[in-house]
Amino acid sequence: MKKYIHDFQIIANRRINTEYFVLSLANEKKLPEIKPGQFVQVRVDNAPNTFLRRPISVYDVNYEKNILYLLIQVVGEGTRTLSELKNGEKLNLIYPLGNSFSLPDSEKALLIGGGVGVAPLMFLGRWLTEQKKEPVFLLGFRNSELQVDIDRFRKLGEVYISTDDGGAGEKGLVTQHPVLHNDTLDISMVYACGPDVMMKAVALWAEKKNISCEASLENTMACGFGACLCCAQETVQGILLVCTDGPVFNTKELIWQI
Amino acid sequence: MADLRVCIGDLHFKNPVTAASGCFGYGKEYEDFIDLGKLGAVFVKGTTGSNRKGNPYPRMVETSSGMLNSVGFQNKGIDYFISDIYPGIKQYNTHIIVNVSGSTIEEYVMVAEKLNDLEKIPAIELNISCPNVKEGGMVFGTHCPSAIKVTTAVRKAYHKTLIVKLSPNVTSIYEFARAVEGAGADAVSLINTLLGMAIDAEKQKPVLATVTGGLSGPAIKPVALRMVWEVYNAVKIPVIGIGGIMNATDAIEFMLAGATAVQIGTANFINPRVTVEVIKGIEDYLVEKDITDVKDIIGALKIPG
Ligand SMILES: Cc1cc2nc3c(=O)[nH]c(=O)nc-3n(C[C@H](O)[C@H](O)[C@H](O)COP(=O)(O)OP(=O)(O)OC[C@H]3O[C@@H](n4cnc5c(N)ncnc54)[C@H](O)[C@@H]3O)c2cc1C
Ligand SMILES: Cc1cc2nc3c(=O)[nH]c(=O)nc-3n(C[C@H](O)[C@H](O)[C@H](O)COP(=O)(O)O)c2cc1C
Ligand code: FES
């Protein structure tokens, strides 16, 4: 897929809670096709200690209005600087980058996200509904305050929640959620995005259940388009690049480094 | 319009701006962003005698105004390059220069010999300065007699333009420049990355899997400029300046310090169009200063007194 470098304009910066915000980005040029699971490389201006671009998943795309959405968690200087962007300001992106999630055989698919790992699942869920599939979301957050856009996820499919403190949904880790332990869930595919420990736990669960599992990895990146070889991932096929061969991998392929 | 052409040995570059090895893949990673035919040359990835897996992850950490990497020579080896990569890149309308890496003199010689026959590869860059491999690599670049030995051996085996890439991890880089000039190098390029390290205080652990790595980006530019200037004053062969170039002004500074051409590395990750922007910027500078030939700024640094 052809990659572009474009200046986008911020048309909204929506604060969701103390940690998360969503940027709505518009571009005069028509958006190219973007696939669920793909990411963008954001240039962070006016942040003296943020030298490299920051990889951020595509949270959603509205082709009609030509708008790209990014869900971002503030973790350091780069993301904090992005959180302070105002309407009308410019944001330079390289996109669309990476591979994408694949279509499940079954009607239903389970989409498991932890924290900011829910980001690629909105766009994936929308795409699945367009493909006449039924996404079922299982979303995990540290507490109820940190939940993200649950209403919007609900518009796409069933939503189950886990929080560490039990403030919303079930208490505990996503992998402890009862929905994973009732056998009525008829799925052939689970998608996972979140902390490595979570994805690994989901992969193990999927393996036991004989369900295919795709995980989206977040190895640190310098370029994001295959030029630096910094984002290496050990796989059964040898070293692959998370930015071009991934970020989505079938977990059977992965040799986990945790 | 100013004349941007420069020569590295017998080799003519359409302009002094090139892409640095290890930062530009095989060129094709940048095809969506720029017309590669506009560049003076492309230095492709470090190529070794056989398949190398590279170092374990994490291989990269951002630092103040730069980054540390410990990629190592991840590549599929020279035979794969010849059979699978070369056919796809030989039509580029720019010089493709292969960065030759290895652990032993025999390996360097073997790779160089095989590159003799590739019509569209007019030069090699002998990488005796990689800090990211256990044996070889930097050892040749930080021990003068070894640098002479490997350069002499490759010079015998390789018939086209031979550029030797120097390590900054030495006390007197100009001694190495003189030594490889004496051993038959047609040009030197410098600097490779500076050996550095990063620590995670919270975990009390090194950030990189290899503990140490190579520092690149604007953080190393002052060191690189000084070294280019020292080497320019010590040798007669052309010098290719590398280290932290982010824009045309940086590139011009290297040329004033004595570089005939420059390589741009890390900056490409942030701005994949930086190389062509630098060409344009150099042109604008020359026009503004009423200079008709870019060669007139090479080593044109005016030192008062
Ligand atoms: C393919 C991909 C997709 C991503 N998608 C999103 C997304 O949709 N939304 C989002 O908010 N974040 C996403 N991330 C993570 C995001 O890139 C980092 O959080 C961001 O780079 C941090 O930048 P910073 O300057 O704010 O923090 P820094 O100052 O660089 O780091 C602050 C802290 O965050 C941690 N951190 C830095 N980079 C990463 C990383 N790549 N992964 C995990 N932890 C990291 C560091 O260990 C450090 O402790 C994605 C990462 C990748 C590789
Ligand atoms: C990710 C990465 C990989 C590199 N790989 C090589 C290599 O294979 N061979 C080599 O001679 N230099 C390699 N280098 C060094 C660069 O070519 C260059 O000398 C150095 O990065 C300084 O220039 P810069 O500051 O413009 O990046 C690499 C640098 C980086 C950042
Ligand atoms: S981030 Fe540069 S190759 Fe993946």
Side-chain angles (χ1 to χ4, degrees):
Chain A
M1 283 171 80
K2 187 172 159 61
K3 301 181 269 299
Y4 300 85
I5 313 179
H6 282 157
D7 273 336
F8 281 75
Q9 203 172 32
I10 312 285
I11 55 166
N13 180 349
R14 177 168 61 92
R15 194 79 200 192
I16 294 186
N17 53 45
T18 51
E19 289 185 14
Y20 299 98
F21 61 100
V22 173
L23 292 178
S24 309
L25 305 169
N27 186 345
E28 289 142 30
K29 302 203 181 75
K30 197 164 161 38
L31 286 171
E33 187 195 2
I34 301 170
K35 294 182 174 166
Q38 288 193 302
F39 65 99
V40 302
Q41 272 281 53
V42 181
R43 195 183 73 209
V44 186
D45 298 335
N46 306 315
N49 295 310
T50 305
F51 175 63
L52 298 167
R53 285 178 184 258
R54 293 295 188 257
I56 302 290
S57 307
V58 172
Y59 181 45
D60 212 347
V61 179
N62 184 330
Y63 288 108
E64 267 163 47
K65 295 191 180 150
N66 222 34
I67 302 173
L68 187 72
Y69 301 89
L70 306 177
L71 169 69
I72 303 174
Q73 180 184 23
V74 176
V75 295
E77 186 198 70
T79 47
R80 190 175 329 106
T81 307
L82 295 175
S83 75
E84 288 157 4
L85 284 169
K86 307 244 170 358
N87 286 0
E89 290 190 284
K90 292 257 176 350
L91 195 64
N92 185 272
L93 305 186
I94 303 179
Y95 75 109
L97 301 170
N99 67 351
S100 55
F101 294 104
S102 52
L103 202 64
D105 297 328
S106 55
E107 190 129 324
K108 279 191 182 179
L110 187 58
L111 286 64
I112 306 184
V116 78
V118 305
L121 304 187
M122 179 74 80
F123 190 32
L124 171 61
R126 181 178 312 288
W127 175 73
L128 288 173
T129 57
E130 284 162 11
Q131 307 300 314
K132 309 281 181 273
K133 303 284 181 183
E134 263 181 61
V136 177
F137 298 95
L138 170 53
L139 309 176
F141 303 97
R142 286 206 311 282
N143 56 52
S144 65
E145 159 69 9
L146 293 177
Q147 294 179 86
V148 173
D149 282 354
I150 303 303
D151 296 345
R152 292 175 198 234
F153 282 107
R154 283 224 168 88
K155 283 189 188 142
L156 299 172
E158 261 174 284
V159 177
Y160 298 92
I161 309 276
S162 284
T163 49
D164 293 0
D165 64 357
E170 294 289 324
K171 181 174 161 61
L173 304 173
V174 283
T175 40
Q176 294 165 329
H177 197 286
V179 74
L180 294 191
H181 305 282
N182 84 36
D183 288 326
T184 54
L185 198 66
D186 183 19
I187 55 164
S188 67
M189 174 75 95
V190 56
Y191 306 95
C193 187
D196 278 358
V197 279
M198 182 211 95
M199 293 193 286
K200 193 174 182 187
V202 172
L204 282 173
W205 171 83
E207 199 177 304
K208 273 199 215 111
K209 297 256 175 185
N210 212 6
I211 297 169
S212 188
C213 178
E214 289 187 346
S216 178
L217 303 192
E218 292 199 350
N219 293 14
T220 46
M221 296 181 176
C223 69
F225 47 85
C228 72
L229 310 186
C230 289
C231 61
Q233 174 65 40
E234 283 270 7
T235 73
V236 293
Q237 300 174 48
I239 298 249
L240 293 178
L241 298 178
V242 171
C243 70
T244 50
D245 302 309
V248 179
F249 292 91
N250 191 304
T251 53
K252 279 208 193 91
E253 301 271 293
L254 295 174
I255 299 170
W256 296 83
Q257 291 154 344
I258 41 172
Chain B
M1 230 178 76
D3 186 352
L4 289 183
R5 290 172 300 174
V6 295
C7 287
I8 298 295
D10 296 332
L11 198 58
H12 296 263
F13 285 17
K14 62 184 88 165
N15 63 61
V17 180
T18 73
S21 175
C23 302
F24 216 69
Y26 291 108
K28 60 179 185 295
E29 289 78 0
Y30 288 84
E31 272 188 312
D32 282 348
F33 307 122
I34 58 168
D35 171 4
L36 296 167
K38 291 220 160 85
L39 306 187
V42 170
F43 289 76
V44 299
K45 273 156 53 76
T47 302
T48 51
S50 52
N51 182 45
R52 296 269 189 110
K53 201 169 139 185
N55 288 320
Y57 178 86
R59 290 175 166 188
M60 192 281 291
V61 56
E62 187 182 49
T63 64
S64 305
S65 296
M67 59 179 272
L68 279 165
N69 89 82
S70 59
V71 170
F73 294 128
Q74 183 182 330
N75 81 107
K76 292 188 173 156
I78 181 65
D79 293 333
Y80 180 85
F81 174 83
I82 294 171
S83 62
D84 286 71
I85 310 276
Y86 178 67
I89 63 177
K90 66 178 183 193
Q91 84 288 356
Y92 290 152
N93 183 23
T94 185
H95 296 310
I96 305 287
I97 300 176
V98 177
N99 182 262
V100 174
S101 303
S103 305
T104 61
I105 292 186
E106 294 70 38
E107 186 177 4
Y108 280 108
V109 168
M110 185 264 271
V111 177
E113 260 171 355
K114 291 188 176 176
L115 288 164
N116 266 327
D117 301 332
L118 302 190
E119 196 197 335
K120 292 286 182 171
I121 308 283
I124 59 172
E125 178 180 49
L126 199 62
N127 178 10
I128 57 168
S129 47
C130 181
N132 293 327
V133 277
K134 277 209 190 70
E135 72 281 1
M138 198 167 75
V139 173
F140 291 105
T142 55
H143 179 242
C144 220
S146 304
I148 294 174
K149 246 196 199 155
V150 68
T151 308
T152 308
V154 171
R155 176 72 291 176
K156 265 197 210 125
Y158 187 70
H159 312 309
K160 295 185 247 179
T161 304
L162 173 62
I163 303 163
V164 178
K165 184 164 181 179
L166 302 178
S167 170
N169 302 304
V170 296
T171 310
S172 305
I173 196 167
Y174 55 87
E175 285 177 6
F176 287 81
R178 275 201 197 118
V180 300
E181 178 181 39
D186 296 309
V188 284
S189 57
L190 62 140
I191 58 175
N192 207 318
T193 53
L194 273 163
L195 198 55
M197 95 188 246
I199 292 174
D200 182 333
E202 207 47 54
K203 296 186 189 145
Q204 306 189 332
K205 280 185 180 161
V207 181
L208 296 174
T210 49
V211 185
T212 62
L215 184 63
S216 65
I220 70 170
K221 196 187 91 176
V223 177
L225 272 177
R226 185 265 294 176
M227 291 186 162
V228 164
W229 179 68
E230 282 181 353
V231 167
Y232 172 70
N233 287 304
V235 298
K236 296 198 178 59
I237 52 178
V239 179
I240 302 175
I242 325 165
I245 297 174
M246 297 297 287
N247 52 46
T249 310
D250 292 338
I252 290 161
E253 290 170 18
F254 273 90
M255 296 194 73
L256 291 170
T260 296
V262 294
Q263 291 180 20
I264 303 177
T266 305
N268 291 290
F269 303 154
I270 299 139
N271 178 8
R273 290 193 191 127
V274 65
T275 45
V276 292
E277 288 173 12
V278 168
I279 297 168
K280 172 80 173 57
I282 293 176
E283 212 167 359
D284 292 347
Y285 173 87
L286 296 176
V287 169
E288 195 198 308
K289 294 258 176 213
D290 219 3
I291 300 168
T292 51
D293 190 338
V294 74
K295 289 186 272 302
D296 291 344
I297 67 166
I298 299 169
L301 185 68
K302 298 175 190 134
I303 299 184

